[in-house]
Amino acid sequence: MTKRYSNTGKLNEHPFVKDILRDAMKVSMALQVKGTVFKVDAKYKRDPTSAEFYCIGTGSSIAHLMGICQQMEHSVLYFSSFTPTKKMKEAGITRHSHLLYCIENYIIRTQSMYDRVLRLVDKVFYLYNPTHLISHELIISNSHILNSDIPSKLKAIRKCIKDYYRDRNEIMHERQYLESDLRRLEGYTILLDKEPFKNDKYFMMDVKDMTREIIKGKTNTFTSVNKNVLNAIADLFDALFKKYQSQLKILEAIYGKMEMVTQ
């Protein structure tokens, strides 16, 4: 039975993630100048060999992918966490604007996640295309990838987030996210500060109920998407791990064994 991954923490235990992050850290610690390991631009005592560069680059790519997956999980929690300060209220931050911000951020991150998936595949297959040129079409058209099961794995991940592709582009380039329930909440939120609604407890209860329903719906939907994404990524990891191991053996055979710290 295929193992199921319900959250990012569990996916971090996947052998592909554990082994590569461990090896990448050991190689980095062996090569980097003391005191620069956690700097953005760490300094190396010498240039990494091709095998070491491959290991470090793949490890970095995995770390960034896992980071965006965790952000997608956290986005769901942000929906129900809203305690505005006085300064936030003065700035006009309402329950509606907070929800809209969280939803838009989640939608944008779904595509960022897939972009990082593509970059990981590029790294593992030792393609090293220019970052700004990497796209779904470029990756799946590569002959090495085309003759593997990677395209079907990518298609499965893409299918999980296909409903948000158009929304993401509209948010980034055209307008804010539009949805009838959110528009209605926006209108009601405006009325909360106006007579005769501002002191109407029944009206305020309606607004709270409406907000709860939106939060419940988005929480259920995004949680389901996250779980589907993680399991689709896990299937991709299964396939990539074999390729990584074989590619690393080739590079070490040509350029020598990687230098790693021993602990």
Side-chain angles (χ1 to χ4, degrees), residues 76-83 95 98 102 215:
V76 177
L77 299 177
Y78 295 151
F79 292 146
S80 55
S81 303
F82 182 65
T83 307
R95 194 67 174 103
H98 172 257
C102 291
I215 292 173

Side-chain angles (χ1 to χ4, degrees), residues 205-220:
M205 287 174 59
D206 284 344
V207 174
K208 288 182 180 180
D209 289 341
M210 192 188 313
T211 303
R212 276 195 293 266
E213 285 301 310
I214 293 173
I215 292 173
K216 181 180 178 181
K218 291 301 179 188
T219 297
N220 291 339

Side-chain angles (χ1 to χ4, degrees), residues 23-252:
D23 290 349
M25 181 58 73
K26 286 184 176 181
V27 172
S28 294
M29 291 177 68
L31 299 185
Q32 290 174 352
V33 175
K34 187 176 180 180
T36 70
V37 174
F38 294 107
K39 289 187 176 181
V40 175
D41 295 314
K43 298 184 180 300
Y44 290 98
K45 292 181 285 187
R46 63 169 174 80
D47 290 337
T49 66
S50 291
E52 291 163 345
F53 185 75
Y54 178 70
C55 178
I56 294 171
T58 305
S60 176
S61 189
I62 289 177
H64 288 300
L65 172 58
M66 298 307 295
I68 199 75
C69 288
Q70 188 173 63
Q71 288 179 357
M72 287 171 64
E73 285 186 335
H74 289 172
S75 293
V76 177
L77 299 177
Y78 295 151
F79 292 146
S80 55
S81 303
F82 182 65
T83 307
T85 63
K86 180 181 178 183
K87 186 173 287 187
M88 289 169 67
K89 291 178 179 177
E90 290 174 349
I93 298 176
T94 64
R95 194 67 174 103
H96 165 265
S97 62
H98 172 257
L99 279 174
L100 182 62
Y101 178 82
C102 291
I103 292 169
E104 289 191 345
N105 269 274
Y106 178 85
I107 291 171
I108 291 170
R109 276 168 172 73
T110 60
Q111 187 58 44
S112 297
M113 175 275 300
Y114 190 67
D115 288 342
R116 295 187 191 185
V117 165
L118 294 176
R119 281 157 178 73
L120 174 61
V121 173
D122 182 84
K123 287 282 198 305
V124 171
F125 274 78
Y126 203 58
L127 305 179
Y128 286 92
N129 288 298
T131 303
H132 67 285
L133 294 180
I134 295 176
S135 66
H136 175 80
E137 290 72 22
L138 177 68
I139 293 298
I140 64 170
S141 64
N142 178 273
S143 58
H144 297 289
I145 293 174
L146 198 58
N147 294 316
S148 71
D149 58 351
I150 298 301
S152 64
K153 306 295 184 184
L154 292 176
K155 184 178 179 180
I157 297 172
R158 214 179 188 197
K159 183 179 178 181
C160 296
I161 59 171
K162 64 181 177 63
D163 292 342
Y164 304 118
Y165 184 75
R166 183 187 294 272
D167 290 333
R168 180 263 182 192
N169 286 342
E170 289 177 344
I171 291 168
M172 293 293 291
H173 306 295
E174 297 179 33
R175 56 174 173 75
Q176 70 179 36
Y177 178 70
L178 296 178
E179 191 174 82
S180 294
D181 287 347
L182 280 171
R183 290 283 288 174
R184 185 163 168 248
L185 179 60
E186 181 181 21
Y188 277 38
T189 300
I190 294 172
L191 293 175
L192 276 174
D193 289 329
K194 302 184 181 301
E195 297 290 354
F197 302 101
K198 63 187 305 182
N199 295 314
D200 188 332
K201 64 178 182 179
Y202 295 106
F203 182 76
M204 287 189 283
M205 287 174 59
D206 284 344
V207 174
K208 288 182 180 180
D209 289 341
M210 192 188 313
T211 303
R212 276 195 293 266
E213 285 301 310
I214 293 173
I215 292 173
K216 181 180 178 181
K218 291 301 179 188
T219 297
N220 291 339
T221 299
F222 291 168
T223 297
S224 178
V225 171
N226 286 345
K227 288 181 179 179
N228 291 336
V229 164
L230 292 178
N231 284 289
I233 289 176
D235 288 341
L236 175 69
F237 284 175
D238 291 338
L240 289 179
F241 200 12
K242 298 174 184 177
K243 175 62 181 177
Y244 172 81
Q245 291 172 322
S246 63
Q247 183 65 55
L248 186 59
K249 285 181 180 178
I250 293 171
L251 291 173
E252 285 193 308

